[in-house]
Amino acid sequence: SAVISQKPSRDICQRGTSLTIQCQVDSQVTMMFWYRQQPGQSLTLIATANQGSEATYESGFVIDKFPISRPNLTFSTLTVSNMSPEDSSIYLCSAYSLPTGYTGELFFGEGSRLTVL
Amino acid sequence: QKEVEQNSGPLSVPEGAIASLNCTYSDRGSQSFFWYRQYSGKSPELIMFIYSNGDKEDGRFTAQLNKASQYVSLLIRDSQPSDSATYLCAVKDQTGANNLFFGTGTRLTVIP
């Protein structure tokens, strides 16, 4: 199984500022995914982060708002830019347990709970 | 994003009963289906996956898949209070990205 560590685990931020969330996997993985879970809601995919290429964003999410880095096969960051209270959410990093990403269990980090005042 | 529909509940069952959780999906080409359990304040954890039509059993859990009806379900036998959680149905994207699309989740409460 993959162990995924995220930090910060929680933060309180001011409107208009930006926050970068870090995600570290204990093994090399091809694809990493960033999800958002708003209060009382299910998980919504923000983007897929592949090493060596630009992230692929889902409808409703743009790079200027959620820039993503993937410098190597074990690490990724998600930045939430110019935050507003609507960005208050839990942000979850995930990856497959197998390097190829085509099979295996999708593991999640513990999440980063972001509150924007 | 692909649509995955679940009854949000809450679903309450007495301890020892069978809990039945249902999910429908919109993409007829979907091949892989997953059930995750999420305790309050925690991240989702995989309970079961199913790829073929029919039933798949793992301990107290049984996943059922009917691709013709685009329907997947999870049965929990001998429900325990520790099963109280939100259960998320997820469908794997077939376009090559391999990400999962999640339903809104069903909150289950098992009453002692």
Side-chain angles (χ1 to χ4, degrees):
Chain A
S1 64
V3 176
I4 301 177
S5 304
Q6 278 185 243
K7 57 181 180 180
S9 58
R10 60 178 63 229
D11 207 340
I12 299 174
C13 303
Q14 297 299 316
R15 181 194 301 259
T17 62
S18 299
L19 179 74
T20 296
I21 301 167
Q22 298 180 8
C23 177
Q24 179 76 53
V25 187
D26 69 343
S27 58
Q28 294 185 340
V29 294
T30 305
M31 288 177 283
M32 296 175 71
F33 306 92
W34 287 97
Y35 286 85
R36 181 173 74 181
Q37 188 171 30
Q38 295 183 304
Q41 305 288 320
S42 186
L43 284 74
T44 300
L45 181 66
I46 298 172
T48 302
N50 296 324
Q51 193 266 339
S53 63
E54 281 197 5
T56 302
Y57 289 83
E58 296 299 311
S59 175
F61 298 96
V62 294
I63 187 171
D64 289 346
K65 176 67 175 178
F66 298 101
I68 288 172
S69 77
R70 181 81 198 275
N72 57 52
L73 291 175
T74 64
F75 187 79
S76 178
T77 67
L78 169 74
T79 298
V80 185
S81 303
N82 188 25
M83 287 184 286
S84 67
E86 292 72 35
D87 295 319
S88 297
S89 185
I90 299 173
Y91 293 85
L92 291 153
C93 173
S94 65
Y96 282 100
S97 59
L98 298 178
T100 63
Y102 294 108
T103 58
E105 176 177 348
L106 186 66
F107 283 88
F108 287 87
E110 288 298 314
S112 298
R113 184 183 294 271
L114 179 61
T115 301
V116 184
L117 302 178
Chain B
Q1 299 199 8
K2 308 296 190 291
E3 290 190 5
V4 181
E5 302 283 343
Q6 292 182 254
N7 186 329
S8 62
L11 172 66
S12 296
V13 300
E15 183 174 355
I18 296 175
S20 178
L21 306 164
N22 304 316
C23 173
T24 59
Y25 57 95
S26 63
D27 185 358
R28 185 170 289 277
S30 297
Q31 299 293 322
S32 307
F33 308 88
F34 305 80
W35 283 99
Y36 281 79
R37 177 176 63 199
Q38 186 175 27
Y39 292 112
S40 181
K42 299 294 186 181
S43 58
E45 55 181 336
L46 183 69
I47 300 175
M48 291 193 68
F49 60 87
I50 186 167
Y51 302 147
S52 303
N53 276 328
D55 295 358
K56 179 182 179 183
E57 187 174 317
D58 183 1
R60 295 187 296 112
F61 299 96
T62 299
Q64 300 174 317
L65 174 61
N66 183 327
K67 291 183 181 178
S69 300
Q70 296 175 238
Y71 176 90
V72 59
S73 66
L74 179 70
L75 300 178
I76 306 175
R77 291 182 300 281
D78 188 24
S79 295
Q80 301 297 308
S82 59
D83 294 326
S84 298
T86 296
Y87 289 80
L88 301 167
C89 173
V91 178
K92 183 175 280 192
D93 186 2
Q94 297 305 301
T95 63
N98 290 291
N99 47 274
L100 296 186
F101 293 105
F102 286 82
T104 53
T106 299
R107 190 168 62 183
L108 171 67
T109 300
V110 180
I111 303 167

